[in-house]
C-alpha cells in the first residue's frame, strides 16, 4: 500500500498540509482582527453651524443596515432597564433595534468597506443627517456639517430641560445633554435608585454655562402617586431609600418640606398616573406644575388608578389637566422622560422654559413656576395673546376682542396645529406632509375669564388601526412610530407639543366650571371609598388623618360648584 513507505507518507502529509492551506478558512492562519483587506481607521468629525466640533448621537451601518460601532463602543450591547442600574452610558437602542452611540465631536471607526451609511442626530433644532458616504480617501477622514433645521426659529431665551431622569451618572448625563441639545437634566434620586450619596443641593460641578446637571428627587407611593421635587437645596425628603408601605404619610407633606427649601413640585407622569392624591394636592395648592408629557401619549387614558378615576375612557391625561384648569387652577405643564434605561434618550420629552434673565438653574425653575413653558417631543411651539406669552395674565373687558397667534416648527411629521379655550377647540389648521412650519392667527372675543393655549400633534388613528399600542412600554411590545426611530420614549409616542396657558381675567372673576368641579368631587369620593375599604395604614389614627384630608379636598371642590 502507498502509506507503507515512510517517504511517500511524508510527501503525502506535506501535500496534505498544502491542501489544507488552500482550503482552510483564512481566519485560522491570519492573526485575529485582520482581514484579506486592510481595515482602515476612519476619523469622522462632526461640526455645528458655527464650525465648532459638537457632540451628537450617531448611527453607522453598512449598506445592508448592519450596525457598526465606533471604536471604543460595543456593537451588540444589551438593552438595560431599571433593574440593571447602569450609571455609565454610551449608547442607546431605539425602535427596531436601531443602535446609536454618543460621541463628543469626533469618533473613529475601523472598516474595510468602501462606503458607510451615517445618521447623526442632535436634538430638535438640527436637521437629521442621514447619508451614504464614500471612503475613497480614508486617510483624510469624514467631515459632517450639521445645519439648523429652521433658519427663522425665534428660540432666544428658551432653554430646554428634562425634569425626570434616572440611572445615569452626571458625566453620562452631560455628554448626552450636549449631544441632544438639552440645557437642564434633573437626575432624580428615589427609593429604587443607587445614587443617594450624590445629592448636593446645587448643580453638579461639571455643569457648564449651557448645560446644568442637578440631582433632585422623585417621591413615590404607588397608589397616592409620584411627585418630582426639583431645586432641593438643603436635603432629600424622607423616606428616601425604601418606598412607603402605606398610603401614609400623604405626598402633600413632602411637598410642604420641598417648598420650605424653595423647591419646585411637579406631579410626575400626570397623564399616565394622576394618582389618588393628584386632585387633593391641587385643591390644596401644593402643586407647581403637572408633568403632562411623560411615559404616555397625553391623548391616551391613564393606565394607573383607573379604578378610581371617573369615566376613565373619556378622560385622557390631557382632559384631566384641562378639567383642573377649568376649575381655576393656574397649573403649568412640564415634561420629562422618566428615563430608566438605554432605550430612552435624555430629553426625548422636554420642557421649554422662557427665561427673563441669564441662564441658570434658579431662573429656569422660576420660569417653570410662572408657567412660561411649553412641552414637546420635537415641535417648537409658540403662542401669544396680544403679544403675551404662556404664563401671562391678561386683564380684559367683557366682549373685548383679542388676537391669538400660534406658530409651530417641527423636525418630525405633524398633522394639526390647534388653539383651545377652556379645553375646547376654537381654531385649527391641517399640516400637509412635508411641511415643517404652520401658523394660525385669529381674533377672539372674550366674554368671561378664560384660559387659552396652543397644541400641535400627529394623529395616531391609522397607526392604532394597524396595531400600534400606546399603553405598552417600547421594550415590552409597544409598536414603532416615526418619532421613535430617532428618539426613545418609555412608551410609543407620536409627535406632540402643548403650551402652558395664557389666562384672561375679566373683572377679577375667577375661571369656574361647575361640571369640572363636580367631576373632581366624584373623583375624590371614589378615592375616599377605595382608601376606606382597601387602603393600607400603619394605624387607625393615620387612616383617620388621611380620610379627613381627602374629605377636606372634596369639600374644596364642592365649594367651587356653589
Amino acid at each position: 500500500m502507498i502509506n507503507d513507505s515512510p517517504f511517500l507518507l511524508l510527501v503525502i502529509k506535506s501535500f496534505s498540509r498544502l491542501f489544507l492551506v488552500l482550503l482552510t478558512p483564512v481566519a485560522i492562519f491570519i492573526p485575529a482582527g485582520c482581514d484579506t483587506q486592510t481595515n482602515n481607521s476612519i476619523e469622522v468629525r462632526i461640526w455645528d453651524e458655527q464650525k465648532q466640533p459638537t457632540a451628537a448621537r450617531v448611527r453607522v451601518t453598512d449598506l445592508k443596515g448592519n450596525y457598526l460601532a465606533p471604536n471604543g463602543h460595543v456593537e451588540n450591547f444589551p438593552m438595560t432597564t431599571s433593574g440593571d442600574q447602569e450609571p455609565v452610558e454610551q449608547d442607546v437602542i431605539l425602535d427596531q433595534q436601531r443602535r446609536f452611540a454618543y460621541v463628543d465631536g469626533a469618533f473613529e471607526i475601523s472598516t474595510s468597506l468602501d462606503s458607510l451609511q451615517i445618521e447623526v442626530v442632535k436634538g430638535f433644532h438640527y436637521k437629521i443627517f442621514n447619508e451614504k458616504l464614500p471612503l475613497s480617501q480614508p486617510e483624510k477622514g469624514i467631515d459632517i456639517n450639521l445645519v439648523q433645521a429652521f433658519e427663522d426659529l425665534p428660540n432666544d431665551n428658551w432653554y430646554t430641560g428634562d425634569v425626570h431622569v434616572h440611572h445615569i451618572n452626571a458625566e453620562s448625563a452631560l455628554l448626552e445633554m450636549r449631544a441632544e441639545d438639552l440645557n437642564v437634566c434633573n437626575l432624580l434620586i428615589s427609593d429604587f435608585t443607587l445614587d443617594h450619596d450624590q445629592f448636593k443641593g446645587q448643580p453638579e460641578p461639571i455643569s457648564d454655562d449651557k448645560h446644568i446637571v442637578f440631582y433632585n428627587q422623585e417621591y413615590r407611593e404607588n397608589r397616592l402617586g409620584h411627585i418630582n421635587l426639583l431645586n432641593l437645596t438643603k436635603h432629600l425628603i424622607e423616606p428616601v431609600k425604601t418606598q412607603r408601605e402605606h398610603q401614609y404619610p400623604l405626598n402633600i407633606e413632602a411637598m410642604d418640606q420641598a417648598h420650605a427649601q424653595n423647591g419646585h413640585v411637579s406631579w410626575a407622569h400626570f397623564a399616565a398616573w394622576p394618582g389618588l392624591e393628584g386632585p387633593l394636592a391641587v385643591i390644596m395648592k401644593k402643586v407647581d406644575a403637572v408633568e403632562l408629557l411623560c411615559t404616555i401619549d397625553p391623548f391616551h387614558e391613564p393606565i394607573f388608578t383607573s379604578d378610581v378615576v371617573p369615566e376613565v375612557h373619556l378622560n385622557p391625561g390631557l382632559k384631566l389637566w384641562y378639567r383642573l384648569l377649568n376649575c381655576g387652577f393656574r397649573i403649568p405643564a412640564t415634561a420629562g422622560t422618566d428615563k430608566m434605561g438605554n432605550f430612552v434618550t435624555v430629553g426625548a420629552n422636554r420642557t421649554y422654559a422662557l427665561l427673563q434673565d441669564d441662564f441658570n438653574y434658579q431662573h429656569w425653575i422660576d420660569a417653570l413656576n410662572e408657567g412660561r413653558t411649553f412641552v414637546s417631543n420635537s415641535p417648537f411651539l409658540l403662542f401669544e395673546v396680544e403679544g403675551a406669552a404662556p404664563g401671562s395674565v391678561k386683564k380684559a373687558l367683557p366682549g373685548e376682542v383679542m388676537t391669538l397667534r400660534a406658530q409651530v416648527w417641527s423636525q418630525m411629521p405633524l398633522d394639526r396645529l390647534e388653539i383651545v379655550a377652556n379645553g375646547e377647540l376654537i381654531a385649527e389648521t391641517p399640516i400637509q406632509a412635508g411641511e415643517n412650519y404652520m401658523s394660525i392667527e385669529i381674533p377672539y372675543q372674550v366674554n368671561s375669564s378664560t384660559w387659552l393655549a396652543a397644541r400641535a400633534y400627529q394623529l395616531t388613528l391609522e397607526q392604532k388601526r394597524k396595531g400600534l399600542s400606546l399603553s405598552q412600554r417600547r421594550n415590552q411590545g409597544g409598536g414603532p412610530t416615526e418619532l421613535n426611530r430617532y428618539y426613545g420614549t418609555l412608551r410609543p409616542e407620536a409627535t406632540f407639543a402643548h403650551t402652558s396657558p395664557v389666562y384672561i381675567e375679566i373683572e377679577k372673576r375667577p375661571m369656574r366650571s361647575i361640571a369640572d368641579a363636580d367631576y373632581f368631587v366624584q373623583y375624590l369620593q371614589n378615592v375616599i371609598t377605595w382608601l376606606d375599604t382597601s387602603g393600607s395604614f400603619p394605624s387607625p389614627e393615620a387612616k383617620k388623618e388621611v380620610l379627613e384630608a381627602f374629605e377636606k379636598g372634596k369639600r374644596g371642590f364642592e365649594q367651587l360648584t356653589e
Side-chain angles (χ1 to χ4, degrees), residues 183-202:
N183 301 115
V184 178
C185 180
N186 291 279
L187 299 175
L188 300 190
I189 298 166
S190 193
D191 55 89
F192 59 91
T193 69
L194 304 178
D195 50 4
H196 301 86
D197 60 339
Q198 297 300 311
F199 177 77
K200 298 180 180 65
Q202 61 186 4

Side-chain angles (χ1 to χ4, degrees), residues 111-355:
T111 181
S112 62
L113 299 175
D114 58 9
S115 61
L116 297 172
Q117 189 76 28
I118 301 182
E119 296 172 75
V120 182
V121 183
K122 186 178 176 66
F124 300 162
H125 298 170
Y126 287 87
K127 289 183 179 179
I128 295 173
F129 182 93
N130 186 2
E131 291 187 17
K132 173 187 173 182
L133 297 177
L135 305 180
S136 55
Q137 294 181 300
E139 69 280 359
K140 292 187 176 182
I142 295 174
D143 290 293
I144 295 176
N145 297 297
L146 300 182
V147 297
Q148 292 280 343
F150 318 102
E151 294 181 359
D152 58 344
L153 195 69
N155 63 345
D156 291 347
N157 297 323
W158 286 97
Y159 290 85
T160 61
D162 188 334
V163 303
H164 196 159
V165 177
H166 302 292
H167 297 331
I168 57 174
N169 61 17
E171 291 75 15
S172 293
L174 183 61
L175 172 59
E176 296 182 24
M177 292 167 64
R178 293 173 60 209
E180 302 289 356
D181 202 18
L182 186 75
N183 301 115
V184 178
C185 180
N186 291 279
L187 299 175
L188 300 190
I189 298 166
S190 193
D191 55 89
F192 59 91
T193 69
L194 304 178
D195 50 4
H196 301 86
D197 60 339
Q198 297 300 311
F199 177 77
K200 298 180 180 65
Q202 61 186 4
E204 288 298 295
I206 65 170
S207 301
D208 59 40
D209 60 346
K210 293 183 180 179
H211 308 91
I212 298 173
V213 182
F214 202 123
Y215 278 94
N216 282 298
Q217 183 178 4
E218 182 182 12
Y219 190 78
R220 314 189 317 150
E221 202 287 315
N222 273 347
R223 298 298 303 191
L224 296 176
H226 300 183
I227 52 177
N228 301 328
L229 307 178
L230 310 185
N231 201 32
L232 296 180
T233 57
K234 297 180 180 178
H235 57 81
L236 299 171
I237 309 302
E238 296 294 339
V240 180
K241 293 187 178 180
T242 56
Q243 193 172 8
R244 285 169 286 164
E245 299 178 12
H246 310 288
Q247 282 78 58
Y248 182 88
L250 292 175
N251 286 331
I252 54 176
E253 292 190 20
M255 296 177 185
D256 285 340
Q257 293 181 55
H259 284 144
Q261 51 181 303
N262 197 36
H264 164 93
V265 176
S266 65
W267 195 269
H269 31 69
F270 175 83
W273 204 325
L276 304 183
E277 198 180 344
L280 172 65
V282 170
I283 191 72
M284 299 185 73
K285 299 182 179 179
K286 308 292 187 181
V287 178
D288 300 310
V290 297
E291 190 182 18
L292 179 68
L293 183 59
C294 180
T295 77
I296 200 166
D297 186 293
F299 287 103
H300 196 280
E301 66 189 59
I303 55 176
F304 302 106
T305 63
S306 59
D307 50 346
V308 299
V309 178
E311 305 173 86
V312 63
H313 297 291
L314 302 178
N315 285 282
L318 190 60
K319 176 66 174 177
L320 289 174
W321 181 47
Y322 288 174
R323 286 186 179 277
L324 291 170
L325 293 170
N326 288 348
C327 290
F329 302 110
R330 295 175 180 173
I331 309 174
T334 60
T337 53
D338 197 7
K339 177 177 170 61
M340 293 274 196
N342 66 0
F343 63 101
V344 175
T345 54
V346 166
N349 299 325
R350 63 184 64 182
T351 307
Y352 281 76
L354 180 62
L355 271 61

